[in-house]
Amino acid sequence: MSAPVLVRRTVRGATALRGGGAWRPTPYQLFGFLFWLVMSLAYWRVPLCCDAGQHAAVVERLKDDLLHPRHPMADLPGAGSPYYSPFALAQGGFARLTGLGGWEVLRLTGPLNLLVLLSGIGRFVRVLTPRPWAPVLALGAMTLLWGLERAWWSGYLNLMSMTGNLAYPSALAIGLAFWAWALTGALARNAGAVRYVGPSGLRPVPGYAALGALYGLILLVHPITAVAAALGAVALIAGWQRRWGPAALGRWALTGAVALLTAACWPYFDVFALAGDDSVDAMHRRLYLDLGGQFGLALLGLPALWLRARRTSWRDPLVLMFVLDCLMVAYGWVSGHYTYGRILGLTLVAPQFALAVELAAPRPWPVWRRLLGGAAAAGACAGFLTVQAGAVVPAGFEQPPSWPDYAWAARHIGPGEVVIADGYYAVHAIAGYGPNLAAPAWPDAALDEKERLRRAADVRAYLDPGSSRAERAAVVRRYHARWVLLTPRQRVPGEAVVVAWSRRTGEVLARLPGTTR
C-alpha cells in the first residue's frame, strides 16, 4: 500500500503577492515595440533632409565648444541662439565623447526621441482611460488620421513626416509634453495609488515642482511646442481639478513658477525674448494653406469629442484642449504671428485620442459606434494609401524626400571655413558638416535678421553673372570666404579653381584665390 501523497493547492492571488507569474506584454507594449522598430528602420532608410542640416550644424558647433558655441551656420558668435537647448547640449556632449559628426548623432537621436514619444503616448492615454487597446488606437490615429495631402513640417508626427523629423527637438518636446500631460492629469484628479498625501489630501509639493521643471525643459527644447503643452496643462487642470483651495492653488502656482524659473536660468539664450521675435512668421504662413487637405481626416474624431462633452461637460480635458488649441491657431492667423500655426499637429491630438478612447470600448457596440469605427477605419486606410504608405513601403507609393548629401564637398572644406552658396539643398545641408555659410539659411536670434538678409543680398550679388571681379573680391574679403559652391546653372568665377563636383546634382565646389586648406 502506497503512502499518501501530499498535494499543495495553489491559492489564487498568492503568486501576485510574491511577484511571481509569467510576464505578458500589454497590447501597446507589443505594438509599440513593433512600431518603434519599423519606424526606426524607415527613418534610417531615408536620407536626412530639410531642417536636419541646421540641427547637425548645431551639434557640430557644440562639439567644437560646449560652453561658447559659434553661430550654427555663420562665422559669428552664437550667444543668444535658441538652437542651443539642453537637448542640443546633450547631443553635442555625446558627439565630443564619441567623435561622431552631427549627421551621425542625428541618425542615433531619431529612435531615442521615438522611444520618448511612444512611452509618453502610452502614459497619457492610460490617464485618460484604462482600456488596454486605447493607446494602440491612439498611436494609429495620431499617425494616419491627418489628410489626403502631404503634411510635412517639424512637429507633424504622421508616418511620412516621421521619416524626416524624428531627430528634431520638436519630436522630443512632443514626447515630453505627453509625459507632462500624463503627470498633470494624474495630479489634477489625484488618480492612482498615493502612499503619502498632505493634510489637504493632495500629493506632496515636490511632485508639483518636478512637473514644473519638466514644463520648463519643454520650453527650452522647443518653445512653440511648449505653447501647446501649456494649453494642454490648463485643459487638464481645469477639467479634472475638483477641490480648489489655497493648497491646490499654491501647488499649481509652484508648478508654473518652477517652469518659468527653469527656463530663465538657462545661460545660452533668453527664451522669453523669442515672444517678440517675428522674423520667422512670414515663412510659417503656408501652414494655414490647404488645412482641409492636410488635416481633414482628423475631423473624424469630432463626434467622439462631442460625445465626451455630452457625457460629462464642456470641462472634459480633451474638449478643452481642442478648443484652446484652435483659439491659439486662429490667433496666429488673425494677428499675423503665423508661427503659432506650428501647433496644428498637436491640435489634432484631442480628436484623434478621443476617437481612440471611444473605439477601445468593450463590445458589443451600439450601431452608432460601429458606424464611427467603420468611418475611422476607412479614413485610416485612405490616409495610409494616399499619403503615408511610402514612409514604410519602399516601392509602389510616393516616397519621402530624397535629398543629396554633401560629403563630397565637405571632405575638401575645413571646419569653420566660409562657403558662398545659394543652392536650395546646399544652404540647408552643408553647414551640418562643419563649414559656415556667408549667408545663413534660417533666421536666428543670434543674428539680426536685417544683417542676415544683407548677407543674402551680397551672396546674390557675388553669384550674379554680371558682377565684376572687384565686386566679388569685396564680398570674399567681407565674409572671409574660402569656397564657392555653385549650382549647374551658375558659372565658375574666373578667379576660382574647381576642386570637386557632384555626379548626382551637377554642383561644383571651387576654391577662392589666396586660400589654402
Side-chain angles (χ1 to χ4, degrees), residues 12 18 76 100 115 139-140 145 194 230 249 252 266 275 330 368 374 396 426 446 452:
R12 295 182 181 272
R18 293 196 304 269
L76 294 167
L100 295 175
L115 185 62
L139 178 60
L145 292 183
V194 183
L249 288 171
W252 289 120
W266 187 245
W368 63 265
R452 189 185 73 87

Side-chain angles (χ1 to χ4, degrees), residues 37 67 108 144 159-160 167 175 195 200 203 288 316 322 391 393 397 432 464 471-472 491 515:
L37 183 61
L67 298 181
L108 296 175
L144 295 177
L159 282 184
M160 183 62 73
R195 182 171 297 180
S200 63
R203 298 195 180 199
Y288 288 87
D316 178 86
F322 184 65
V393 181
F397 297 94
D464 189 326
E471 290 171 334
R472 293 194 298 271
R491 68 175 178 83
T515 64

